[in-house]
C-alpha cells in the first residue's frame, strides 16, 4: 500500500452550482464553503497530512462579475480573522500563494501578512492558500528571478529552477482533490503537481466533508506510484 500523502492539494470547485441548485445567489455557495474548509483542515491535520494547499482564488477569477469578486474579498477577510486564533492553536503554519494583484484590498493583504507572521514558527501542518494564484505566472516569475540572479543557461536544472519558485521549500504535491466532478488542472501549482495523483469526487465543495476527504486519501493509498517507471515483473523479473 502506498504511504499516506505528505502534500494534499484541493481545487475547491462547485460553490456556484451548489447555490444555483438551491435557487440561491452564487455568493451563498461561497459562504457555505467556509464550513468545508475548516472541516478539511481538521481532517488533514488528524490524518497526518503535513502540507495542505487550497485553491481559493485564481488569477483568472478576476474576470468574474465585480459584485461576486467584491463579496469574495470580504468573505475571505472575515474567514481569516475569524479562524486565525484556531489555526495558530492547532500548530498550523499559514501561507498565501499569489497575493500580487493591486486589486486585492489593502486590509485583506494586511490580514494575510499578519496571519503568516502569527503562525510562522508552527510546524504541525503547513496550510497554503492559493489566492490570486496562477501556475503559469509562478513559472514565469521563477524564470525572471533566474535571469536576474545571473545563473548561466547551462547551469539551470530542475533544482535551480524550483529554488526560484514561491515558497521553494514546498514539496511536490502527492494528491490533488478536485470536487464537483470537473477534471481540469485550471492553472493550479503547475510545477508542483507534475507527478501528483488526482481524484475527482462528484460532490460539490460545500457538501464535501471529512469522510469524503479520508476516502480520497484511501483511494490514493490503493494506487501504485511509479513516476514513469515500470514494476519489476514487467521486465521479466521476479515478483518477489
Amino acid at each position: 500500500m502506498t504511504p499516506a500523502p505528505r502534500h494534499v492539494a484541493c481545487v475547491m470547485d462547485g460553490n456556484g452550482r451548489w447555490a444555483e441548485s438551491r435557487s440561491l445567489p452564487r455568493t451563498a455557495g461561497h459562504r457555505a464553503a467556509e464550513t468545508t474548509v475548516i472541516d478539511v483542515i481538521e481532517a488533514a491535520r488528524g490524518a497526518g497530512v503535513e502540507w495542505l494547499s487550497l485553491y481559493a482564488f485564481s488569477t483568472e477569477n478576476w474576470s468574474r462579475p465585480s459584485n461576486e469578486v467584491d463579496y469574495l474579498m470580504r468573505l475571505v477577510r472575515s474567514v481569516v480573522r475569524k479562524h486565525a486564533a484556531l489555526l495558530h492553536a492547532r500548530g498550523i503554519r499559514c501561507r498565501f500563494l499569489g497575493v500580487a494583484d493591486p486589486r486585492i484590498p489593502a486590509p485583506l493583504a494586511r490580514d494575510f501578512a499578519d496571519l503568516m507572521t502569527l503562525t510562522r514558527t508552527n510546524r504541525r501542518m503547513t496550510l497554503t492558500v492559493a489566492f490570486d494564484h496562477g501556475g503559469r505566472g509562478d513559472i514565469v516569475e521563477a524564470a525572471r528571478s533566474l535571469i536576474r540572479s545571473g545563473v548561466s543557461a547551462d547551469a539551470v536544472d530542475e533544482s535551480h529552477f524550483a529554488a526560484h519558485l514561491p515558497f521553494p521549500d514546498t514539496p511536490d504535491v502527492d494528491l490533488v482533490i478536485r470536487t464537483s466532478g470537473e477534471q481540469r488542472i485550471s492553472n493550479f501549482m503547475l510545477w508542483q503537481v507534475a507527478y501528483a495523483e488526482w481524484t475527482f469526487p462528484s460532490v460539490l465543495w460545500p457538501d464535501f466533508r471529512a469522510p469524503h476527504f479520508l476516502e480520497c486519501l484511501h483511494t490514493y493509498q490503493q494506487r501504485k506510484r511509479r513516476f514513469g517507471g515500470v514494476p519489476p515483473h514487467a521486465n521479466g523479473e521476479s515478483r518477489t
Side-chain angles (χ1 to χ4, degrees):
M1 179 181 288
T2 298
R6 182 186 182 199
H7 186 178
V8 178
C10 297
V11 181
M12 305 184 291
D13 199 6
N15 295 346
R17 276 167 285 166
W18 182 92
E20 290 165 2
S21 70
R22 292 162 172 77
S23 300
L24 297 171
R26 286 176 55 85
T27 52
H30 299 312
R31 169 61 70 181
E34 176 183 350
T35 300
T36 301
V37 168
I38 300 304
D39 206 45
V40 166
I41 291 171
E42 293 284 19
R45 191 179 67 91
V49 172
E50 298 177 34
W51 297 75
L52 176 67
S53 297
L54 303 178
Y55 202 6
F57 191 84
S58 74
T59 50
E60 292 77 19
N61 288 154
W62 290 108
S63 64
R64 292 187 176 188
S66 60
N67 63 331
E68 182 176 349
V69 171
D70 291 344
Y71 179 85
L72 281 167
M73 298 296 154
R74 295 193 302 271
L75 174 63
V76 171
R77 187 175 189 217
S78 171
V79 170
V80 168
R81 294 172 70 88
K82 178 179 177 181
H83 297 288
L86 172 66
L87 294 168
H88 184 44
R90 293 286 193 267
I92 298 172
R93 176 174 57 168
C94 299
R95 291 175 164 180
F96 293 90
L97 178 63
V99 198
D101 196 291
R103 288 173 289 185
I104 296 173
L108 177 56
R110 285 196 298 269
D111 286 341
F112 287 164
D114 289 346
L115 183 56
M116 287 192 289
T117 299
L118 174 69
T119 63
R120 67 183 183 278
T121 61
N122 294 340
R123 291 297 182 270
R124 177 68 189 273
M125 185 175 78
T126 297
L127 171 67
T128 301
V129 178
F131 193 89
D132 181 38
H133 162 72
R136 285 182 172 179
D138 282 355
I139 290 171
V140 168
E141 285 303 316
R144 289 173 174 166
S145 177
L146 273 167
I147 293 168
R148 286 193 295 265
S149 68
V151 177
S152 68
D154 291 339
V156 175
D157 56 19
E158 289 188 11
S159 62
H160 270 103
F161 192 91
H164 288 261
L165 289 165
F167 304 127
D169 60 331
T170 302
D172 284 349
V173 176
D174 298 303
L175 170 65
V176 182
I177 301 168
R178 180 168 189 145
T179 55
S180 86
E182 297 291 340
Q183 300 183 15
R184 297 187 301 276
I185 298 176
S186 295
N187 199 19
F188 181 43
M189 299 183 78
L190 295 180
W191 183 274
Q192 295 88 345
V193 304
Y195 272 101
E197 299 290 325
W198 289 71
T199 60
F200 301 101
S202 60
V203 62
L204 303 175
W205 180 256
D207 291 328
F208 193 76
R209 289 294 181 270
H212 299 111
F213 182 84
L214 296 176
E215 182 179 349
C216 291
L217 298 193
H218 178 73
T219 297
Y220 167 88
Q221 290 186 279
Q222 305 309 305
R223 298 182 182 177
K224 294 180 179 178
R225 305 189 74 197
R226 301 188 180 96
F227 299 96
V230 294
H233 63 267
N235 290 324
E237 299 176 17
S238 170
R239 293 172 180 263
T240 59

